[in-house]
Amino acid sequence: MDTWPACFCDLQPAFPHLNLIVSGGHTQIMRVIAPGQSELLGKTRDDAAGEAFDKVGKLLGLPYPGGPEIDRRARLEIQLSMRFHERA
């Protein structure tokens, strides 16, 4: 866990923090204690978190599947926004 995606090279995360790893085949939630030190908190063997990105993409009016488009826009630093309402 001591490597960071290229788009985050200038950022230094605070420790400890949670790390959500999402791929087409699995999802993991890790507690990152320090560089190179992490603890697996949970995982799936399916793409449940990826499906959540697709659902959010649908709410934002993005093409299906939404996950890759959200990722593409995040890499290009295009802000996606959505207004959330408080429950009365």
Side-chain angles (χ1 to χ4, degrees):
M1 295 289 255
D2 55 4
T3 60
W4 301 98
C7 60
F8 296 121
C9 286
D10 295 333
L11 301 176
Q12 295 298 318
F15 293 97
H17 64 264
L18 292 179
N19 188 0
L20 174 64
I21 302 167
V22 181
S23 79
H26 70 280
T27 301
Q28 295 179 336
I29 299 176
M30 307 286 292
R31 178 175 181 254
V32 182
I33 302 157
Q37 294 181 318
S38 62
E39 171 187 7
L40 178 65
L41 299 178
K43 65 181 181 176
T44 67
R45 284 193 255 176
D46 61 15
D47 62 343
E51 290 176 15
F53 275 99
D54 293 339
K55 289 178 183 179
V56 169
K58 183 177 180 179
L59 289 171
L60 294 173
L62 299 176
Y64 182 85
E69 181 65 13
I70 290 171
D71 181 63
R72 184 187 74 77
R73 291 181 183 212
R75 290 176 189 274
L76 294 174
E77 298 184 43
I78 298 172
Q79 292 192 3
L80 300 175
S81 63
M82 181 176 200
R83 180 176 289 234
F84 290 91
H85 300 281
E86 289 185 31
R87 290 185 179 183

